[in-house]
Amino acid sequence: MSALLEGLFNGVSIGAVLLIAALGLAIVFGLMGVINLAHGELMMLGAYTTFVVQNVFKGFGSPLFDTYIFFALPMAFLVSGLVGLLLERGVIRFLYGRPLETLLATWGVSLILQQFVRSVNGMLAIALAVFCLLFFGGLQVLQRRSEWERIRGKAIAILLPLSLAIAALLGYFLYSNPVLARPWFSARNVDVTAPAWLRGGLPLGGFQLPYTRLFIIVLTALCLLGTYWFLNKSSWGLRIRAVTQNRQMSACLGIPTNQVDALTFALGSGLAGIAGCAISFLGSVGPNVGQNYIVDTFMVVVVGGVGNLLGTIIAAMAIGVTNYLIGSGTFALMSSSIAALQPITDFFNFFATTSMAKVMVFALIIAFLQFKPAGIFAPKGRTAEL
């Protein structure tokens, strides 16, 4: 019984990690019908933001260092949310209703973000800032002119190469500075140190409940409550649900659908950043950290029912608990006490590793989707019409 209780808690903690990672994807993929393969990289940006905030607070000494997590969480949300907003405004808004194109585009963005983290340095950051200032600032100035619609094409054709050339020339001159040319992160993994009050665990019987896992469970619950309140109680949440159900009718009623799309994508991306902040306590942070979760998060969303938060919760808990109980050998240990169940014990012993447990969970999900192809709860609204 002690082994079962420990296995259930660890399974729930894994389910909480999957849930907080899948929460943002459930909004973007579920409510907007966008297959965002860059979701893992948005989590990666949140994890790196946590690492940067941690390093800043290290210079403030021990008392303040233990509070850095309360600054890292909103910063991770803002950084990932802003990147998601730029992604939606620059790429996704041209691809609504075309899921295959969004899949390919966001896959390309994920590769760009991975390489960006490996290569980013002071020179690249300054060059990008100059390009954005010249290009987007120039567009904002020209949009105020009455003949903007007539000169729009020519303005972009002139501003884009000109801004790129100036930024590239500036980067070329700055590259000779060894400080500016040194990579900030490179391809190596970095470690995030948990605050002192998150180290150790809560004794319970013959095992401990790690404080980091308990913190992630509480953080997931708060994110769920905040997301539910926003979608169901706020005016913008009402607009999001209206656009999800009927985009054309919402536009006719005066709802700014473009702003709703941007806000929804930014919210989902920000939640991915919070997930990245949480998973940074579970292992090293590297450019590929998001790839470790992207497949599992898509499984959670699909099994739960696209766009359904309750289904996402149930699926995350079921997948997390099943994965841990099989992979840790808990099922094999429970059945080994009964001699008549020896074949079942041998079966679970064969799958009692992390990789083989994933194979078993994949097989169970495939079997489940044969009977419930739409997931636990069938999707509604825009996604159901695709």
Side-chain angles (χ1 to χ4, degrees):
M1 182 59 68
S2 175
L4 177 61
L5 291 176
E6 183 178 4
L8 286 174
F9 169 77
N10 289 329
V12 169
S13 67
I14 292 174
V17 174
L18 290 178
L19 179 56
I20 196 171
L23 189 57
L25 190 63
I27 294 175
V28 173
F29 181 38
L31 299 184
M32 302 181 69
V34 174
I35 304 176
N36 181 19
L37 289 185
H39 187 78
E41 278 58 49
L42 294 171
M43 293 169 56
M44 177 259 295
L45 291 178
Y48 271 107
T49 302
T50 305
F51 171 73
V52 171
V53 173
Q54 168 204 254
N55 288 344
V56 171
F57 272 74
K58 278 183 178 178
F60 296 153
S62 179
L64 284 177
F65 176 77
D66 290 336
T67 65
Y68 83 84
I69 186 63
F70 300 109
F71 296 88
L73 283 170
M75 285 300 298
F77 181 88
L78 286 175
V79 170
S80 296
L82 287 174
V83 173
L85 181 62
L86 291 174
L87 177 60
E88 196 278 336
R89 291 288 86 187
V91 179
I92 300 298
R93 67 170 174 159
F94 304 107
L95 302 175
Y96 285 123
R98 296 152 62 186
L100 180 59
E101 283 84 349
T102 61
L103 185 150
L104 294 174
T106 54
W107 177 63
V109 170
S110 73
L111 297 179
I112 291 172
L113 289 176
Q114 289 179 35
Q115 190 58 43
F116 175 79
V117 168
R118 295 187 183 99
S119 307
V120 64
N121 51 33
M123 177 271 297
L124 182 59
I126 294 173
L128 284 174
V130 170
F131 169 77
C132 292
L133 179 63
L134 293 176
F135 181 68
F136 295 106
L139 288 181
Q140 289 294 324
V141 171
L142 292 175
Q143 282 176 1
R144 300 173 184 174
R145 300 176 65 92
S146 58
E147 66 272 20
W148 164 245
E149 291 299 329
R150 182 174 58 83
I151 65 172
R152 179 177 180 178
K154 292 181 179 179
I156 294 177
I158 295 173
L159 276 177
L160 183 59
L162 184 61
S163 302
L164 281 173
I166 295 175
L169 188 62
L170 177 63
Y172 174 78
F173 285 114
L174 292 177
Y175 190 74
S176 58
N177 188 318
V179 176
L180 295 178
R182 185 171 61 244
W184 290 352
F185 308 114
S186 73
R188 64 182 177 85
N189 287 0
V190 297
D191 294 317
V192 174
T193 304
W197 53 277
L198 282 181
R199 300 168 197 164
L202 179 67
L204 185 63
F207 61 96
Q208 279 192 339
L209 307 181
Y211 288 136
T212 52
R213 297 276 183 174
L214 291 173
F215 175 76
I216 291 174
I217 292 174
V218 173
L219 179 63
T220 304
L222 292 176
C223 289
L224 277 171
L225 291 174
T227 303
Y228 178 82
W229 177 87
F230 179 78
L231 293 177
N232 292 277
K233 303 298 182 181
S234 68
S235 59
W236 278 104
L238 177 62
R239 294 185 181 101
I240 290 173
R241 290 186 288 119
V243 173
T244 301
Q245 293 297 323
N246 194 316
R247 185 180 185 86
Q248 288 75 23
M249 183 60 69
S250 300
C252 292
L253 293 174
I255 294 177
T257 55
N258 287 335
Q259 294 181 24
V260 169
D261 290 335
L263 177 63
T264 305
F265 204 91
L267 175 63
S269 302
L271 288 171
I274 293 180
C277 182
I279 65 175
S280 66
F281 294 132
L282 303 179
S284 298
V285 176
N288 298 320
V289 67
Q291 297 298 310
N292 299 330
Y293 292 91
I294 187 66
V295 175
D296 291 337
T297 54
F298 268 107
M299 285 196 306
V300 168
V301 174
V302 171
V303 171
V306 177
N308 192 288
L309 291 181
L310 178 60
T312 303
I313 298 171
I314 296 173
M317 293 298 116
I319 292 175
V321 170
T322 304
N323 201 355
Y324 185 82
L325 291 179
I326 295 175
S328 64
T330 305
F331 278 155
L333 179 64
M334 293 171 58
S335 60
S336 64
S337 59
I338 304 175
L341 299 180
Q342 187 60 39
I344 298 178
T345 302
D346 294 338
F347 174 80
F348 281 117
N349 275 329
F350 178 76
F351 288 97
T353 61
T354 302
S355 57
M356 291 304 295
K358 281 187 175 292
V359 173
M360 179 58 133
V361 171
F362 270 123
L364 292 174
I365 290 174
I366 292 172
F368 172 78
L369 292 178
Q370 301 305 308
F371 300 96
K372 297 277 290 183
I376 299 174
F377 299 102
K380 300 178 181 179
R382 186 190 308 178
T383 306
E385 297 169 0
L386 295 177

